[in-house]
Amino acid sequence: MIRVCLADNYPVVHFGVKSYFKDHANINIVANVGTFSMIKDVLNDKEIDVLILDLDLDGLSSIYEVKALIKNYPKTKFIIYTNYAEQLYAPNAIKAGVSGYVHKTSKLESLGNAITRVSQGNIVMNENLKKNLAAIAKQNKSERLYRKLSNREIEVLRYLSDGKKNNEIAQILTLNEKTISTYKLRLLQKLHVTNLVDLVNKAKTLEIV
């Protein structure tokens, strides 16, 4: 039996996932958490084979926090289950050590298949995402801008798009404000824009927000 923990903000998601897998032959939802800080308690207290995690989870501010969890709990496989754009976030999530990425618009059957496959040591991405990534690789330089962005730059861009100021982002990511300014400058250069308004519009084009 694959023991699963679901980490998500919304009770309706917990109810739906738990109900779907209630009578599943191989998958058992043994824990549910609603904040990032609760995850360690569960992983320390229970044997969890697969953790399903929303990138929008309360208390989660950076993919680096997920990377640290993966390093500290190597026996647990991680699946991102989120509404965030796959083509932008999935490659960086996989790079951070996540074993699977499932968009919330997918059927729960797809989530079940992902749980089974990652528990067997496989890396799981949506087939459409694989095709999109292959197609993007053939696009011209201007159409592949997001591939230039690091995990941290994507995070900073998302918070800037949310209207947060440099000092607020620095506090969230526990970084120096000057460091955030440096990331902002890099974003302007990499995305070929000269001001914050154009930067935010570019973020919308790239489906970061």
Side-chain angles (χ1 to χ4, degrees), residues 36-46 73:
F36 187 74
S37 61
M38 297 171 65
I39 292 177
K40 285 186 179 180
D41 292 335
V42 171
L43 293 179
N44 287 331
D45 186 57
K46 298 176 180 289
Y73 300 92

Side-chain angles (χ1 to χ4, degrees), residues 121-171:
N122 297 307
I123 301 296
V124 177
M125 284 192 292
N126 184 283
E127 287 300 320
N128 289 332
L129 173 61
K130 292 179 182 179
K131 293 177 182 178
N132 288 341
L133 291 176
I136 288 169
K138 299 177 182 178
Q139 293 175 348
N140 62 46
K141 187 175 181 180
S142 64
E143 293 174 311
R144 292 188 282 114
L145 291 176
Y146 80 85
R147 299 184 70 205
K148 297 179 179 180
L149 304 183
S150 67
N151 290 337
R152 188 66 84 188
E153 288 166 346
I154 290 172
E155 291 167 351
V156 171
L157 181 52
R158 177 157 58 89
Y159 287 122
L160 286 171
S161 300
D162 286 340
K164 289 183 170 54
K165 300 185 182 301
N166 287 11
N167 62 330
E168 295 175 313
I169 300 172
Q171 186 174 5

